[in-house]
Amino acid sequence: MPRTLSHDECVKLVRSPVRYRRAELSVDGRDPFVRTCLVLDNGDFLVPGDRGLVRTAAGRTVTVTVTHRNRHVPGGWTVSGIGLARPLVAADRPVPLPRATEQDLDFRTGVRVVVARLTGQLVSVAEEV
């Protein structure tokens, strides 16, 4: 049976072992898209992008979902949150910016999704089959 996760447990999962996660984002319930995001200590997501992303998402509700599948114990998890997007400002970027393993991400333009609360579920290996 899946176990429901608290906000703090969700933040620990999405930030460990790396702070960058591929997340599925949906602006105002529109079709989702996938982006690599930086997860902050409080559970907010920094989403690098271009001016088009800022125009599309800023001031709107964004749903963020991160899913991790693991064939070993303890299994996989899914974490979701809803927040308000706002354009990135210089103060949003942590200094130094953690190193990205996939690619060099440019955080000069993009949005910060201010998440009020993350919720999630932990699924055991037996349940995933």
Side-chain angles (χ1 to χ4, degrees), residues 31-82:
D31 290 339
F33 57 94
V34 177
R35 287 280 169 94
T36 299
C37 306
L38 174 65
V39 185
L40 300 179
D41 296 342
N42 63 356
D44 288 356
F45 286 76
L46 298 186
V47 185
D50 55 18
R51 293 188 193 285
L53 173 67
V54 175
R55 280 191 303 273
T56 300
R60 293 186 171 85
T61 303
V62 177
T63 303
V64 180
T65 304
V66 179
T67 302
H68 176 78
R69 295 290 175 234
N70 188 353
R71 299 216 178 268
H72 306 287
V73 175
W77 49 263
T78 299
V79 170
S80 296
I82 298 175

Side-chain angles (χ1 to χ4, degrees), residues 2-4 7 14 16 19 24 29 32 36 53 58 61 68 83 86-87 92 101 109-112 119 121 127:
R3 182 172 75 84
T4 301
H7 175 80
V14 296
S16 178
R19 292 177 63 182
E24 184 176 88
T36 299
L53 173 67
T61 303
H68 176 78
R86 63 171 177 74
D92 289 328
T101 54
T109 307
V111 294
R112 178 176 182 158
T119 58
Q121 288 196 334
E127 295 172 59

Side-chain angles (χ1 to χ4, degrees), residues 96-107:
L97 194 62
R99 192 167 192 164
T101 54
E102 287 184 24
Q103 59 196 14
D104 289 328
L105 300 173
D106 185 0
F107 287 94

